[in-house]
Amino acid sequence: MAVNKVVNRLCGLCLRTSSGILNNVVPKRNSHFEYVPDTNLPIRGKTEKLNMFQAINNALDITLKTDETAVIFGEDVGFGGVFRCTLGLRDKYGKHRVFNTPLCEQGIAGFAIGVANMGSTAVAEMQFADYIFPAFDQIVNEAAKMRYRSGGEFDCGKLTIRSPSMAVGHGALYHSQSPEAYFAHTPGLKVVIPRSAVRAKGLLLSCIRDNDPCLFFEPKILYRSAVEEVPVDDYELPLGKADVLLEGDSITLVGWGTQVYVLLEVAKLAKEKFNVNCEVIDLVSILPWDRTTIFQSAKKTKRVIITHEAPLTCGFGAELASSIQEECFLHLEAPVFRVTGFDTPFPHVFEPFYIPNKWRCLDAVEKILNY
């Protein structure tokens, strides 16, 4: 304990002094992107300024209000959850509809599958995506296959699992992972990652009302940093449809979640430094993914860069790259490039070097232009 105090004090002094060695090496937490409010509202009408966790809370509130069978549960959910996404819902709808569970992810998933099989709407929360793996068997071998194995007699279409994922600035190896690729390998599931408060509300409502079990991974760094005007009324956004955020004709930049904002900055830098127009696409749905939009863009720009926070090997970017090169090979001027996390556990103090930031992505832009 004494050693820890000394180390912490020395690190604090180092960071506070202008000559500290870490000052010029490690950027401030959460500074690897600049959030851009979503102004493309899906419906007209009254709006309210909300951050992402408030927009998610609003979607869950609408679900409980409009669907009498809906129940929401998970670790600390009754108290509002670690990130406050369920704040106030137990008081409003009762502890029989919004409640805590034991610290057992496998049990949470198994219970959710049973609830959905019996015809009720189940919205389960895994407190962190890093801890979803004890529930992997239940999700992959039960929820995803229930309709098929029962010949349509049962299904888990009313099941949605929410979970905070991706980097947060200080989460290290057990609170920063991006597990979307594991589940994208499983027919029968849908996997969705929102980029903003507006998208989170509409996509979550679509997942909850979809006829297939859905995994909804929420970039936790955006819970409070994604703030914008969100429509108050009920609305849904399509699953399996990518969003073209910036049109261009030189390079296609594909990402999802927080990485979308990195790419928007990269597109701006690429225009300034190389005078090229990048097309930026938010994939939105990992499974199913929008093949039409991606292929059309690849054929137009002839160069594609894919970026995600998960490690390189077998990350979902590999599936995109393979599919693009199979479908668009004769149109491409260069191989598909990937800028990702490294094939290591997610680090703590070295997180700024692990994340595929705008400088790593810009370096890929230069390389693909000079290929």
Side-chain angles (χ1 to χ4, degrees), residues 53-364:
F53 89 72
Q54 291 170 326
I56 290 169
N57 181 278
N58 186 221
L60 297 174
D61 189 2
I62 289 172
T63 298
L64 291 166
K65 185 189 304 179
T66 58
D67 183 352
E68 293 182 352
T69 74
V71 289
I72 298 172
F73 49 89
E75 297 164 9
D76 298 324
V77 161
F79 308 136
V82 170
F83 294 101
R84 321 313 290 157
C85 292
T86 55
L87 187 65
L89 296 180
R90 184 174 68 173
D91 293 339
K92 187 173 182 179
Y93 294 99
K95 61 182 180 181
H96 63 293
R97 298 189 67 193
V98 182
F99 49 88
N100 296 330
T101 66
L103 304 182
C104 178
E105 287 78 14
Q106 185 178 14
I108 294 170
F111 178 74
I113 290 167
V115 169
N117 271 329
M118 293 298 100
S120 295
T121 298
V123 183
E125 179 184 301
M126 300 292 175
Q127 198 167 81
F128 286 90
D130 310 68
Y131 299 129
I132 201 171
F133 300 114
F136 195 81
D137 178 64
Q138 289 291 323
I139 296 168
V140 170
N141 277 333
E142 302 297 337
K145 298 175 174 64
M146 187 61 66
R147 183 183 287 114
Y148 179 82
R149 68 179 290 199
S150 69
E153 185 175 355
F154 298 101
D155 70 79
C156 294
K158 289 181 174 289
L159 168 62
T160 298
I161 296 176
R162 299 178 36 252
S163 192
S165 71
M166 306 177 73
V168 69
H170 50 272
L173 66 168
Y174 289 134
H175 296 84
S176 303
Q177 296 179 74
S178 302
E180 63 270 10
Y182 291 104
F183 297 100
H185 193 65
T186 307
L189 297 177
K190 291 185 178 177
V191 182
V192 180
I193 303 176
R195 71 172 184 272
S196 69
V198 170
R199 303 295 133 180
K201 177 179 176 179
L203 289 168
L204 180 54
L205 285 169
S206 294
C207 284
I208 292 171
R209 295 164 179 170
D210 193 77
N211 291 323
D212 292 303
C214 296
L215 294 175
F216 194 75
F217 290 119
E218 302 158 5
K220 54 182 153 318
I221 199 171
L222 297 179
Y223 276 138
R224 288 172 172 78
S225 59
V227 181
E228 60 207 8
E229 293 293 329
V230 179
V232 172
D233 293 335
D234 188 339
Y235 66 91
E236 298 177 29
L237 293 171
L239 305 181
K241 178 63 178 173
D243 291 336
V244 179
L245 304 183
L246 182 67
E247 294 189 358
D249 56 13
S250 301
I251 306 172
T252 297
L253 306 178
V254 182
W256 48 89
T258 311
Q259 207 60 23
V260 167
Y261 302 106
V262 174
L263 293 180
L264 288 172
E265 290 188 69
V266 171
K268 183 179 179 181
L269 289 169
K271 180 64 176 177
E272 294 172 355
K273 292 180 177 293
F274 309 123
N275 195 31
V276 294
N277 299 311
C278 296
E279 183 149 291
V280 178
I281 298 178
D282 176 9
L283 193 62
V284 182
S285 291
I286 303 299
L287 188 69
W289 61 279
D290 189 350
R291 303 170 72 90
T292 300
T293 297
I294 299 299
F295 291 160
Q296 286 178 349
S297 181
K299 290 175 181 178
K300 177 177 67 173
T301 66
K302 307 184 187 309
R303 297 175 178 87
V304 181
I305 297 173
I306 303 161
T307 177
H308 54 69
E309 292 182 14
L312 175 71
T313 301
C314 294
F316 196 68
E319 172 63 26
L320 296 178
S322 176
S323 298
I324 291 167
Q325 294 190 156
E326 287 177 7
E327 182 70 22
C328 311
F329 182 76
L330 295 178
H331 297 266
L332 298 177
E333 297 289 345
V336 177
F337 280 38
R338 289 177 290 159
V339 186
T340 71
F342 297 106
D343 287 341
T344 70
F346 202 105
H348 189 193
V349 296
F350 295 123
E351 179 177 309
F353 306 106
Y354 181 93
I355 290 175
N357 61 23
K358 60 185 176 183
W359 304 117
R360 287 178 59 197
C361 293
L362 187 64
D363 182 58

